[in-house]
């Protein structure tokens, strides 16, 4: 998320967004593992066409800010930040459905993760058992990265733990492990420009601590770049304001850790803000937030 108000560990976590154990991004033509399925990363197999008309997701409330959506890989659980308890403050909410064709349940606040401080920028693993989020709760004095887990999807989340290796002196948000060994996040830490840039952290194995995040060349302009989400091909979708307002951009992975020039996702662009993209593992469904309806609400577009 944009921070709308002022303000090292994970042994056994599994994030199968699509990379090898080495942490290298896939090249075109490589097969990547998505929840036990091998998905061909070749352009044309993974969909690349435009999205249809976005639709408002009914769990949104016109009276509050609903932001920072993240879903499980099967798209049966959604998590988002909302200020429904205290305006201007963020808590973590969730909704479920029995199938992708069913309506979402009434959103519920996750009490074991929500406090009087800010909780924001959630990223849940595809299996739904691990979640990274950001908070300024003690002992943090800025918005830092925390991690929580649960043994199964019907159980409560464990007490969140600060991930000190990903938390700097400024703000760090939307920490998304793309695999067990590669993680992306937005941060205003040095040498970030424009309020936020996109950083990458790596580690040797799932049980190791994350390394110090490094800024990604090309995603570090003097304009805002944040709320990054890497899809199964390694492409990064993010919020940027290069056009003067918040829009969603996509930067295609080259395969050597670098990225092509980001492209505006034109078909969902409006004069209003579009933020915080999340793309389904098969590439067909895009969730994001927008102010096009007068408040920050959740939208979905399909292709």
């Amino acid at each position: 998320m944009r921070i709308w108000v002022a303000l090292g560990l994970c042994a056994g976590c599994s994030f199968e967004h699509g990379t090898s154990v080495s942490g290298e991004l896939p090249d075109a033509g490589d097969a990547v593992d998505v929840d036990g399925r091998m998905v061909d990363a070749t352009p044309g197999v993974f969909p690349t066409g435009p999205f249809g008309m976005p639709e408002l997701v009914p769990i949104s409330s016109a009276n509050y800010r609903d932001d920072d959506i993240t879903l499980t890989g099967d798209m049966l659980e959604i998590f988002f930040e909302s200020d429904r308890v205290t305006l201007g403050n963020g808590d973590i909410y969730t909704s479920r459905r029995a199938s992708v064709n069913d309506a979402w349940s009434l959103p519920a606040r996750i009490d074991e993760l929500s406090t009087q401080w800010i909780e924001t920028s959630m990223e849940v693993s595809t299996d739904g058992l691990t979640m990274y989020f950001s908070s300024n709760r003690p002992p943090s004095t800025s918005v830092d990265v925390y991690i929580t887990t649960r043994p199964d999807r019907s159980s409560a989340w464990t007490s969140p733990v600060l991930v000190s290796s990903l938390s700097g002196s400024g703000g760090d948000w939307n920490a998304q492990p793309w695999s067990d060994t590669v993680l992306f996040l937005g941060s205003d830490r040095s040498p970030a420009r424009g309020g936020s840039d996109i950083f990458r952290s790596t580690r040797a194995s799932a049980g190791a601590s994350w390394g110090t995040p490094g800024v990604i060349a090309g995603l570090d302009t003097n304009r805002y770049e944040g709320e990054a989400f890497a899809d199964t091909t390694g492409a990064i979708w993010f919020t940027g304001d290069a056009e003067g307002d918040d829009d969603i951009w996509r930067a295609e992975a080259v395969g050597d850790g670098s990225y092509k020039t980001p492209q505006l996702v034109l078909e969902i662009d409006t004069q209003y803000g579009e933020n915080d993209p999340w793309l389904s593992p098969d590439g067909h469904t895009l969730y994001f937030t927008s102010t096009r309806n007068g408040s920050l609400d959740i939208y979905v577009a399909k292709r």
Side-chain angles (χ1 to χ4, degrees):
M1 73 171 280
R2 290 265 200 173
I3 299 300
W4 297 96
V5 295
L7 303 174
L9 74 165
C10 185
C13 297
S14 180
F15 288 84
E16 298 177 344
H17 287 277
T19 188
S20 64
V21 175
S22 68
E24 295 178 355
L25 298 177
D27 292 312
D30 288 350
V32 295
D33 185 278
V34 182
D35 291 337
R37 297 179 295 112
M38 297 309 293
V39 177
D40 195 331
T42 305
V45 175
F46 189 86
T48 57
F51 290 93
M53 180 67 68
E55 297 180 357
L56 178 68
V57 179
I59 59 175
S60 292
S61 173
N63 298 318
Y64 304 101
R65 185 190 74 244
D66 297 320
D67 196 12
D68 283 305
I69 64 274
T70 183
L71 289 85
T72 52
D74 57 14
M75 295 192 292
L76 300 185
E77 288 184 87
I78 187 171
F79 301 87
F80 63 98
E81 177 212 339
S82 185
D83 61 356
R84 300 180 187 206
V85 171
T86 304
L87 288 177
N89 201 19
D91 292 322
I92 302 176
Y93 283 74
T94 187
S95 177
R96 300 189 181 203
R97 57 186 178 182
S99 77
V100 294
N101 297 316
D102 289 323
W104 290 104
S105 65
L106 185 68
R109 181 178 182 264
I110 304 179
D111 291 337
E112 66 267 27
L113 299 181
S114 300
T115 68
Q116 62 182 299
W117 292 281
I118 297 170
E119 282 81 38
T120 183
S121 305
M122 296 73 63
E123 297 290 351
V124 69
S125 58
T126 54
D127 63 9
L129 302 183
T130 303
M131 185 188 298
Y132 284 73
F133 68 94
S134 297
S135 178
N136 64 344
R137 64 179 64 195
S140 295
T141 56
S142 59
V143 178
D144 291 328
V145 178
Y146 286 78
I147 186 174
T148 179
T149 61
R150 57 183 178 178
D152 55 69
R153 285 165 65 167
S154 61
S155 297
W157 293 95
T158 58
S159 180
V161 176
L162 174 68
V163 186
S164 57
S165 59
L166 297 177
S167 301
S169 58
D172 301 286
W173 39 82
N174 292 101
Q176 180 217 354
W178 184 71
S179 72
D180 286 336
T181 57
V182 178
L183 175 145
F184 299 96
L185 76 160
S187 181
D188 62 5
R189 68 177 67 201
S190 179
R193 301 177 291 165
S196 174
D197 284 331
I198 299 173
F199 288 71
R200 175 172 47 216
S201 173
T202 62
R203 60 184 179 182
S205 66
S209 295
W210 291 106
T212 301
V215 70
I216 299 176
L219 303 180
D220 61 341
T221 72
N222 59 2
R223 303 303 297 263
Y224 180 92
E225 288 102 13
E227 302 176 340
F229 179 84
D231 68 26
T232 54
T233 71
I236 294 182
W237 304 68
F238 65 95
T239 303
D241 63 1
E243 298 290 310
D245 61 345
D246 285 349
D247 297 308
I248 293 176
W249 298 75
R250 177 181 180 272
E252 183 179 345
V254 174
D256 60 358
S258 63
Y259 293 84
K260 295 181 180 179
T261 302
Q263 301 296 312
L264 180 64
V265 184
L266 287 168
E267 65 270 23
I268 64 169
D269 182 41
T270 67
Q271 61 181 310
Y272 304 100
E274 283 82 37
N275 308 79
D276 200 63
W278 181 93
L279 190 70
S280 61
D282 65 6
H284 286 279
T285 305
L286 177 68
Y287 279 82
F288 65 98
T289 59
S290 177
T291 57
R292 65 186 66 190
N293 200 38
S295 61
L296 193 59
D297 295 317
I298 302 170
Y299 288 80
V300 62
K302 298 180 180 180
R303 60 181 177 186

